[in-house]
Amino acid sequence: IVETVYGRERAAMEWVLGRQALDEAMKRLDGRDQILHVDLKGRDPDDGFTEVPYEKGALFLRTLEAAYGRQRLDAYLRGYFVRFAFQSITTRQFLEDLQYHLLNQGGSAVKVPVKEWVYESGIPAGAWRAVSEAFVRVERQARPWVEGKAPLSSIHASGWCTQEWLHFLKFLPADLGAARMAQLDHAFHLTRTGNSEILCQWLLMAIHNHYQPAYPRLREFLTSMGRRKFLRPLYEELAKTPEGKRRALAIYKQARPLYHPIAVATIDEILGWPAN
């Protein structure tokens, strides 16, 4: 859908960012929660609410497309929606259907290890990987400033979309320092951005680099935003230092009653709530 509406370049950017998010999740999750066919017996179903079914599942389908071709995969998906309209199916039923209607319909030179994708942790070695030329251009602009060889004004970012901004910020060194953070903020007004995706990444950098001018905005964001996608990384970053954890607990005491129970369970664990 992204490719149809916004074009192939934007789709490539989304794929790269999605893979980055999946790789980060894999570092954080236990092996049992890296599996598409996750076993939740004896567990709260909310424990299985991770990036894995979204990002790993999407990557699995994109790997199938790379192996069997878009035309054949599209035909399979159209048939799938007809065969299972208005009903739920099990993983076993899906795999049987996939085997019969796609995998058995003429071999591919590239064999996709379907069972490894579905039943094992991690990401199979042969997973398809996206390349974004737009991100290459962003890096080409950013690198001279990062290396101290060009002024910040050499970066022309006025036409960047959200995805390019995210890649730019993630491309910068983790230990940027408060002074260079201030340069970025003065040039691009990142602390006051209204884009939650960009703001979350910027605030992560602000926490890590002790960029105090962004702290009021951090409190404002954490007390007005309810999406766990944004809350978890910010609280995790705050919790890495004693000072940050004290700040996180003070904010969380105010914000906790406003959060969804799934977010509350996650942040409680991160901060050891209730605090001793």
Side-chain angles (χ1 to χ4, degrees), residues 15 18-19 22-23 26 36 52-66 112 117 122-124 126-130:
W15 278 114
R19 178 59 188 266
L22 180 59
D23 288 341
M26 291 298 180
L36 280 175
V52 171
Y54 300 99
E55 297 296 348
K56 186 176 179 179
L59 186 58
F60 171 45
L61 292 177
R62 188 60 184 81
T63 301
L64 286 172
E65 180 184 307
V112 179
W117 273 99
I123 303 171
W128 175 82
R129 186 175 286 275

Side-chain angles (χ1 to χ4, degrees), residues 162 165-166 169 190 193 195-203:
T162 297
W165 273 109
L166 288 174
L169 294 176
L190 291 162
T193 180
N195 185 308
S196 295
E197 296 279 357
I198 296 171
L199 180 60
C200 182
Q201 182 60 36
W202 174 249
L203 292 175

Side-chain angles (χ1 to χ4, degrees), residues 164-183:
E164 287 166 303
W165 273 109
L166 288 174
H167 187 70
F168 169 67
L169 294 176
K170 292 181 178 183
F171 175 75
L172 298 177
D175 297 321
L176 199 60
R180 301 196 91 185
M181 290 285 292
Q183 290 181 37

Side-chain angles (χ1 to χ4, degrees), residues 122-140:
I123 303 171
W128 175 82
R129 186 175 286 275
V131 175
S132 168
E133 293 302 323
F135 287 173
V136 172
R137 293 193 295 270
V138 167
E139 293 176 16
R140 191 178 298 130

Side-chain angles (χ1 to χ4, degrees), residues 193-267:
T193 180
N195 185 308
S196 295
E197 296 279 357
I198 296 171
L199 180 60
C200 182
Q201 182 60 36
W202 174 249
L203 292 175
L204 284 171
M205 296 167 61
I207 296 166
H208 184 79
N209 288 281
H210 308 287
Y211 180 59
Q212 295 188 20
Y215 288 175
R217 185 72 164 117
L218 173 64
R219 172 180 283 274
E220 177 185 323
F221 188 64
L222 289 175
T223 55
S224 62
M225 168 56 65
R227 293 189 65 186
R228 192 177 70 155
K229 171 184 178 180
F230 300 126
L231 300 177
R232 178 171 57 197
L234 290 171
Y235 279 110
E236 285 177 338
E237 190 66 31
L238 282 166
K240 289 179 181 179
T241 66
E243 177 189 353
K245 188 169 183 179
R246 286 193 296 270
R247 187 181 303 277
L249 287 167
I251 295 172
Y252 190 50
K253 183 177 181 180
Q254 176 185 351
R256 189 176 186 272
L258 307 175
Y259 291 161
H260 188 280
I262 295 178
V264 166
T266 298
I267 311 306

Side-chain angles (χ1 to χ4, degrees), residues 40-113:
L40 293 172
K41 292 178 181 177
R43 302 171 64 195
D44 188 323
D46 289 341
D47 291 341
F49 190 78
T50 71
E51 296 90 338
V52 171
Y54 300 99
E55 297 296 348
K56 186 176 179 179
L59 186 58
F60 171 45
L61 292 177
R62 188 60 184 81
T63 301
L64 286 172
E65 180 184 307
Y68 292 93
R70 175 169 293 190
Q71 184 175 357
R72 290 179 63 188
L73 183 66
D74 282 355
Y76 167 72
L77 292 174
R78 283 192 293 269
Y80 169 89
F81 288 125
V82 171
R83 289 188 295 277
F84 300 110
F86 308 110
Q87 58 181 301
S88 299
I89 64 171
T90 65
T91 298
R92 180 184 59 79
Q93 288 174 299
F94 163 68
L95 291 178
E96 289 175 351
D97 186 77
L98 181 71
Q99 186 71 43
Y100 184 80
H101 291 283
L102 178 66
L103 307 186
N104 287 348
Q105 301 303 310
S108 167
V110 179
K111 296 298 182 182
V112 179

